[in-house]
Amino acid sequence: MVGLNRNIIRTILIASYIMIVASIIAGISALFSYLNTGADRSTMLHTEIKKVIQYTPKINWAPLVNEGREMDAENLKNLERDYVNAWYVKHIAYKTNTTTGIEDYYTDNARQNIYAIINNNKQQKISVDATTLTHNPELEFFSEDGQLAVITDKNIVEYKQVLQNNKLVLQTTEKATYKTVFLLEDGFWRVRHMVKEKNENFVPKNKPVATDSLHIKGINYYPKDTPWDMFGDQFNKDTIGNDFKIIKEAGLNSVRIFIQYEDFGKANVKKEKLEKLKETLTLAAANNLKVLITLFDFYGDYSVLDWTLNQRHIETIVTAVKNHDALLGWDIKNEPNLDFKSRGKEKVIAWLTTMITQVKALDSKHPITIGWSDTKSATILKDKVDFISFHYYESLNTLTTAIENLRKEVPKKPLVMQEFGISSYSGFWKPFGSSKNDQANYHKKAQELIKTNKLQFMSWTLYDFGSVPKNVVGSLPWRKNPQKRFGFITKKGIKKPSFEFISSAE
Amino acid sequence: MQKNDVAKQTNSEIKLITTQTEFNAGHEIIIQFAINNTFTPLLYCTNSYGSLVIKPTLKNKILFYQIPKIFCKKRGIIYWKLSNTTISGKLNISPIQKVAKMETYIGPPSIEAGRKDYSMLIVIPTDSLDNPLLKNTAVTAKHQFLNQKKNEVIFTKNLISHKKLFSPLKSGRMLVSSECLGENSKEFTVIVYPANPTDFEISAERHHNYADGNQITTFYSSIIKDQQNNIVSDGTYVTFFIKNKKGNTLKTAGTTIKGIATAKMIHPDYETDWSIKAYIDGMAESNTITLSYKQVLKDFDVDFSENNRSITIGPLQSFMQQMIPDGLNITLLVYKNNTLINTEIKTSYNGFVTFTLNTAVYPKDNYTIKISAAGLEKEFKSIHIW
């Protein structure tokens, strides 16, 4: 026995010795190989251009019929670039009351006007957070030597938030017309004179979309293996097709899906993502399902200067799918009221208003909604949306009262309970959670209430999930684990008792 | 807003008193409202360059909003909104119709004669507050060329006024100025350059017609002019191409002064004919002239000495039997069994050239030696060198 023990100890010692030596050698060799790598040749001269798109208002040039020299595409491109930059640096200047960048885009004399206003605003602690959404420039004149140009920019839509001592004084949306004289200096088209010729208050007119035929009996959908990452690398047509079949066969008629803003490429929407979105819609159409698309998922900036980028984002997505048969409508944002505290209520509402207008301008056929997280918030912007959506995770006992209150304020528009459900998780992190039978009872009751209250609905959700990303409910296990078990079907594909009550029989 | 203010706001009746909406730049602007309580909303204003808010002073139930000077002095619309109300309005600031500065841009600064090309005069008459003047303000564009003086009235549009200045037939300087509401600009110059050159003639001048490889022949162009008879700009580059009897091309070039280009070429050192033609690249060409050069060296003596290893050529005599000027090229070709083994070139000095054949290069043997000078050639077969 003694001999055996000694041998064991000996083996362990030798083994650990070899391990230590091996790891030291590995460490040193890694260090050596690191020191032996030189700079990548392609980056030696720092010639790469690090350009980030910051500001992309919609620019609609009028046909070129200018006086003077004929304008060519290259010069026009440069003029447009510098003109847009001139607006951008001006917005930044008035937002921060600093002068960075102004001298690049305004001549000596013109910049004095901006400096004077900055000085005034600095003293009075005023800041102006502004953006322009649409420009309609018309080239009036281009000089023979290509050094001077005049444009009239008609009906620019300007949005401004005026703050004093960081408190909102006023929000305004205006339509203005400017004449601008540019000089080409040091390769920059700089503003020499700017004269505002027209200015009026602008209230965008959104046409309501008829929602009489709307009869949503749906479900929130993510594939079971890729929740919150539906259009990623693991995108699989067959999986989605099968799921849509299950949904259709369960008696539902629609799904709600989500488009993550950053994942889709922000202002430059990625083609492959767009293709996957279209394929999803085609699969839905094949199964006779309608799709409610939720835009701007995981987006939380709302800053005024970000709006033009948001505008490009929706422009690409909406124009790509607005004529698809399977499209039900647009949900501008999921639970934006949860950002009121951190981002400011006015800011979020202003953003939502603008985005509604933008989507409506691109697609006048499909209804628009906002997925509010509770019934209290659901009245916000009730006049702008076509149907009211709210999420309901509170006790079902209070649902009827909540609906009654909501109907009082919005009597005419359809109400959609756009998310509701209960987790069947009961375990270490939540010992007294609900069981699968509790979940079934919940949905049974929910369907009854939906019927009595004449609600339209979209439940949460088809599947239990294996993992839930951190940015959905945070990383705390007692929040994350219940979130995984909201499904009607388990991870393994077994229908839970609640599945019986996924829809109501008619 | 505090609760107090909200109460005041909802109870307040505000009425605009100021009726004037048209102002001249620089004029003081105060907007007044009548109010029935002490609610003091801020006034938001926006003009051509930016936005700001103004605090009122309340006196006898009248709210006074003094528009800041920086806004009063810029041309364009001032749009205002009274915060927490729905009252809004517009003011229009007109420039002071008095010129303080004639902002003038002219370009291109040089144009081509011939009434086709033009330069453009752009005038932005501005007032003392740097505002461009109103639309349809008359500007007189003036220009002078030789004994011609012209005034033309143009009108401002799109903040600027502009005029095309077409080139005259003659080259020279065009002086340009402008005038608006009694104010005159300074003087500007547009240079009218001659247009493209037209075809021209060339001539040659030389001291003698012998191919002595020493004297220089000079080529001249005629006075090169454009279509309108303007002498082309000094410095116009003229290239002379010379083709000789052998078909080789020589090239020399010169630039014009007062229309005449001059270029030089050293005489050939053997009898030949030159045909010469000059070009201004892509624009014009000359006629072709021919020159012939006479042989100067009639014959030469070759003297072998020092075991035939020293070869002296000369005297080399020119057309008056004078010793040929230093520098004539003599070529020595050494063959062995009909294969060329070496070529040596030397230039003449005082009418003679001496080649020394080195023992290391040319071991003791029989060689064939050819000597050529000024186009003449002599051959010496089986010269034994030891």
Side-chain angles (χ1 to χ4, degrees):
Chain A
M1 276 311 275
V2 175
L4 183 67
N5 271 346
R6 196 178 275 173
N7 275 338
I8 290 170
I9 292 169
R10 205 176 273 165
T11 319
I12 292 171
L13 273 175
I14 290 169
S16 58
Y17 176 74
I18 290 170
M19 294 271 279
I20 290 166
V21 170
S23 60
I24 288 172
I25 289 171
I28 292 172
S29 61
L31 183 72
F32 262 107
S33 58
Y34 171 72
L35 292 175
N36 275 329
T37 54
D40 184 352
R41 271 159 203 270
S42 64
T43 60
M44 268 193 312
L45 295 172
H46 297 285
T47 48
E48 70 277 23
I49 297 169
K50 287 180 183 135
K51 195 177 157 193
V52 184
I53 299 168
Q54 303 277 23
Y55 190 60
T56 54
K58 181 93 191 146
I59 302 206
N60 310 307
W61 279 98
L64 294 173
V65 282
N66 60 297
E67 290 179 33
R69 173 165 142 183
E70 199 176 321
M71 180 53 104
D72 55 289
E74 190 60 27
N75 271 314
L76 191 68
K77 202 178 91 193
N78 291 339
L79 179 64
E80 177 185 310
R81 181 199 63 205
D82 290 350
Y83 179 55
V84 169
N85 284 345
W87 275 98
Y88 180 68
V89 295
K90 194 164 83 168
H91 293 322
I92 296 278
Y94 288 143
K95 186 181 177 182
T96 57
N97 284 331
T98 54
T99 58
T100 317
I102 291 291
E103 56 205 5
D104 281 342
Y105 298 104
Y106 295 85
T107 61
D108 282 337
N109 286 319
R111 68 181 81 126
Q112 297 314 319
N113 301 310
I114 294 172
Y115 291 169
I117 296 172
I118 288 174
N119 270 335
N120 175 80
N121 288 357
K122 217 187 218 166
Q123 277 168 16
Q124 303 193 18
K125 302 212 160 88
I126 300 164
S127 66
V128 182
D129 202 353
T131 191
T132 56
L133 297 167
T134 322
H135 290 267
N136 305 298
E138 182 177 349
L139 185 71
E140 302 280 7
F141 177 79
F142 185 42
S143 75
E144 198 49 46
D145 56 356
Q147 308 282 307
L148 188 146
V150 184
I151 67 166
T152 306
D153 198 349
K154 287 174 186 160
N155 300 323
I156 303 176
V157 178
E158 282 185 79
Y159 172 82
K160 288 176 213 161
Q161 285 179 356
V162 185
L163 299 105
Q164 192 163 34
N165 298 315
N166 286 325
K167 266 190 208 155
L168 190 71
V169 173
L170 166 130
Q171 297 185 63
T172 171
T173 310
E174 293 157 25
K175 231 180 199 183
T177 298
Y178 292 85
K179 265 199 166 60
T180 310
V181 179
F182 296 90
L183 298 179
L184 185 64
E185 292 182 346
D186 317 333
F188 287 97
W189 281 102
R190 292 196 175 128
V191 173
R192 169 65 190 94
H193 289 292
M194 222 170 170
V195 174
K196 188 181 273 192
E197 299 204 317
K198 275 186 201 159
N199 198 328
E200 58 198 38
N201 201 39
F202 176 62
V203 185
K205 280 178 198 146
N206 295 337
K207 265 198 188 160
V209 173
T211 48
D212 310 338
S213 57
L214 208 63
H215 187 63
I216 300 174
K217 284 165 71 178
I219 192 161
N220 286 276
Y221 175 70
Y222 272 124
K224 72 171 181 233
D225 295 325
T226 53
W228 290 275
D229 184 24
M230 185 162 166
F231 304 103
D233 295 336
Q234 294 179 54
F235 179 87
N236 187 325
K237 272 185 179 175
D238 298 339
T239 312
I240 295 171
N242 283 335
D243 290 348
F244 281 178
K245 209 174 165 195
I246 295 171
I247 292 169
K248 185 66 198 174
E249 281 169 0
L252 298 171
N253 64 14
S254 48
V255 289
R256 178 171 177 242
I257 60 167
F258 299 83
I259 289 180
Q260 278 80 35
Y261 179 66
E262 242 170 88
D263 180 51
F264 259 67
K266 298 188 203 173
N268 285 321
V269 174
K270 294 172 191 158
K271 264 196 186 147
E272 70 268 20
K273 299 269 175 189
L274 214 53
E275 282 311 310
K276 288 174 184 170
L277 175 64
K278 280 185 195 164
E279 280 174 18
T280 305
L281 286 170
T282 309
L283 288 169
N287 287 291
N288 229 339
L289 288 173
K290 292 271 179 186
V291 181
L292 178 65
I293 298 177
T294 308
L295 299 162
F296 294 109
D297 205 25
F298 292 161
Y299 175 74
D301 192 340
Y302 304 105
S303 65
V304 174
L305 269 177
D306 219 26
W307 290 11
T308 57
L309 301 176
N310 304 151
Q311 202 183 0
R312 291 289 78 70
H313 177 79
I314 50 178
E315 186 183 45
T316 324
I317 292 172
V318 173
T319 32
V321 301
K322 68 175 180 182
N323 292 321
H324 204 290
D325 290 338
L327 185 62
L328 188 155
W330 302 100
D331 182 350
I332 299 295
K333 175 134 181 68
N334 184 46
E335 308 190 344
N337 52 320
L338 299 184
D339 292 328
F340 282 177
K341 231 183 205 169
S342 58
R343 303 288 168 176
K345 193 172 172 179
E346 286 104 344
K347 208 169 163 182
V348 177
I349 290 176
W351 179 87
L352 287 166
T353 313
T354 308
M355 291 309 136
I356 291 172
T357 310
Q358 297 296 332
V359 175
K360 286 242 170 206
L362 293 162
D363 178 4
S364 56
K365 281 193 294 190
H366 293 99
I368 284 176
T369 191
I370 296 168
W372 300 105
S373 82
D374 53 35
T375 46
K376 272 173 239 130
S377 308
T379 53
I380 300 168
L381 296 173
K382 62 181 160 59
D383 300 327
K384 303 261 177 193
V385 295
D386 298 306
F387 64 90
I388 309 283
S389 297
F390 62 89
H391 300 168
Y392 200 83
Y393 289 106
E394 290 140 63
S395 163
L396 287 177
N397 298 328
T398 52
L399 179 64
T400 309
T401 348
I403 297 298
E404 277 165 7
N405 289 336
L406 196 54
R407 279 252 157 79
K408 264 179 219 159
E409 294 203 52
V410 202
K412 285 190 179 157
K413 290 189 178 172
L415 299 184
V416 179
M417 186 153 74
Q418 202 193 28
E419 275 186 27
F420 66 98
I422 190 170
S423 174
S424 63
Y425 177 85
S426 164
F428 180 76
W429 297 108
K430 203 179 177 190
F432 302 107
S434 324
S435 68
K436 286 179 184 169
N437 283 327
D438 292 340
Q439 194 196 23
N441 287 331
Y442 170 91
H443 280 289
K444 189 183 174 196
K445 195 177 174 192
Q447 286 300 337
E448 283 163 11
L449 288 168
I450 285 165
K451 220 170 190 179
T452 49
N453 285 303
K454 286 178 185 152
L455 287 177
Q456 307 192 20
F457 70 93
M458 298 187 113
S459 49
W460 185 272
T461 176
L462 188 62
Y463 281 108
D464 281 353
F465 301 131
S467 63
V468 173
K470 208 167 58 190
N471 34 7
V472 179
V473 285
S475 52
L476 301 171
W478 52 89
R479 305 194 59 179
K480 237 177 149 169
N481 281 306
Q483 183 63 42
K484 293 176 185 171
R485 302 285 176 83
F486 271 77
F488 288 98
I489 303 175
T490 66
K491 265 189 296 179
K492 287 179 182 157
I494 300 160
K495 287 171 185 167
K496 294 193 205 169
S498 56
F499 192 83
E500 199 187 325
F501 307 106
I502 196 167
S503 175
S504 57
E506 276 178 61
Chain B
M1 234 181 349
Q2 288 170 353
K3 265 188 186 168
N4 219 345
D5 288 341
V6 177
K8 277 184 203 164
Q9 183 205 333
T10 45
N11 295 325
S12 59
E13 270 177 35
I14 306 175
K15 242 182 151 180
L16 178 66
I17 299 172
T18 316
T19 51
Q20 191 182 353
T21 56
E22 297 288 327
F23 293 90
N24 270 340
H27 198 277
E28 189 181 50
I29 305 172
I30 296 171
I31 303 183
Q32 301 175 26
F33 296 90
I35 190 163
N36 61 349
N37 57 17
T38 54
F39 177 53
T40 52
L42 295 166
L43 186 78
Y44 151 84
C45 289
T46 179
N47 80 343
S48 305
Y49 285 94
S51 312
L52 44 78
V53 291
I54 307 162
K55 260 190 210 156
T57 48
L58 181 63
K59 250 191 235 166
N60 300 328
K61 299 209 163 182
I62 291 175
L63 289 165
F64 294 88
Y65 293 92
Q66 167 124 33
I67 307 281
K69 269 191 191 149
I70 45 170
F71 265 43
C72 297
K73 65 185 196 182
K74 290 319 289 183
R75 176 185 163 177
I77 302 284
I78 296 180
Y79 176 75
W80 56 261
K81 265 185 176 177
L82 205 53
S83 69
N84 301 313
T85 71
T86 52
I87 305 169
S88 66
K90 264 188 273 186
L91 308 174
N92 187 21
I93 313 281
S94 303
I96 311 163
Q97 279 297 90
K98 215 174 155 191
V99 179
K101 208 175 133 199
M102 301 284 280
E103 218 175 296
T104 310
Y105 304 96
I106 199 160
S110 59
I111 51 176
E112 193 185 283
R115 289 189 182 153
K116 274 185 200 150
D117 199 10
Y118 56 89
S119 182
M120 191 177 255
L121 168 75
I122 301 161
V123 185
I124 313 177
T126 49
D127 68 10
S128 56
L129 298 167
D130 196 38
N131 294 308
L133 297 193
L134 287 180
K135 194 180 173 182
N136 287 331
T137 303
V139 175
T140 314
K142 307 178 199 176
H143 58 99
Q144 171 270 333
F145 186 75
L146 298 178
N147 50 11
Q148 204 179 45
K149 247 175 21 189
K150 261 192 186 167
N151 290 359
E152 274 163 288
V153 179
I154 50 178
F155 296 94
T156 56
K157 186 187 161 192
N158 294 321
L159 312 179
I160 61 158
S161 58
H162 65 96
K163 166 109 195 94
K164 279 181 185 173
L165 303 169
F166 280 90
S167 65
L169 289 177
K170 291 225 155 137
S171 61
R173 291 165 83 87
M174 191 193 277
L175 299 183
V176 184
S177 77
S178 56
E179 185 247 297
C180 178
L181 302 175
E183 280 304 312
N184 278 285
S185 76
K186 57 179 189 176
E187 177 187 296
F188 297 89
T189 310
V190 176
I191 297 172
V192 182
Y193 283 117
N196 284 351
T198 51
D199 289 354
F200 53 96
E201 309 266 295
I202 51 170
S203 58
E205 210 178 271
R206 50 185 176 171
H207 300 293
H208 56 63
N209 57 358
Y210 293 105
D212 70 348
N214 188 44
Q215 291 305 318
I216 284 169
T217 301
T218 310
F219 303 111
Y220 297 97
S221 72
S222 59
I223 296 176
I224 304 175
K225 292 179 174 176
D226 70 1
Q227 271 186 338
Q228 281 74 239
N229 262 340
N230 295 305
I231 296 172
V232 296
S233 313
D234 284 355
T236 301
Y237 196 79
V238 182
T239 317
F240 293 82
F241 286 90
I242 304 160
K243 242 185 191 171
N244 67 12
K245 241 187 195 168
K246 292 181 188 169
N248 298 332
T249 305
L250 307 169
K251 199 173 101 174
T252 178
T255 53
T256 62
I257 293 171
K258 295 193 170 167
I260 298 171
T262 312
K264 291 171 192 287
M265 180 55 84
I266 194 163
H267 281 209
D269 56 7
Y270 55 89
E271 182 198 6
T272 191
D273 294 330
W274 279 358
S275 79
I276 305 125
K277 186 167 182 168
Y279 296 89
I280 301 171
D281 264 357
M283 291 187 263
E285 60 183 48
S286 73
N287 60 336
T288 307
I289 57 167
T290 51
L291 295 175
S292 47
Y293 290 89
K294 279 195 222 155
Q295 184 71 18
V296 283
L297 198 64
K298 294 273 154 32
D299 193 15
F300 54 85
D301 292 337
V302 181
D303 189 37
F304 290 86
S305 60
E306 294 178 30
N307 304 339
N308 287 347
R309 281 190 181 276
S310 177
I311 305 164
T312 306
I313 298 143
L316 301 160
Q317 285 171 312
S318 192
F319 55 91
M320 296 184 297
Q321 277 70 52
Q322 79 272 39
M323 288 302 181
I324 210 156
D326 293 349
L328 182 75
N329 267 348
I330 315 290
T331 312
L332 176 83
L333 301 143
V334 184
Y335 294 84
K336 189 173 166 184
N337 303 330
N338 285 331
T339 46
L340 180 67
I341 56 165
N342 214 349
T343 308
E344 285 185 44
I345 298 170
K346 273 192 167 180
T347 49
S348 70
Y349 181 66
N350 287 339
F352 287 93
V353 175
T354 305
F355 290 99
T356 308
L357 302 181
N358 197 320
T359 48
V361 182
Y362 307 100
K364 180 177 162 186
D365 208 337
N366 284 333
Y367 294 91
T368 301
I369 287 170
K370 277 187 193 169
I371 295 158
S372 70
L376 301 179
E377 203 173 89
K378 285 195 174 181
E379 189 174 323
F380 300 89
K381 279 193 176 152
S382 299
I383 299 287
H384 189 65
I385 298 173
W386 71 93

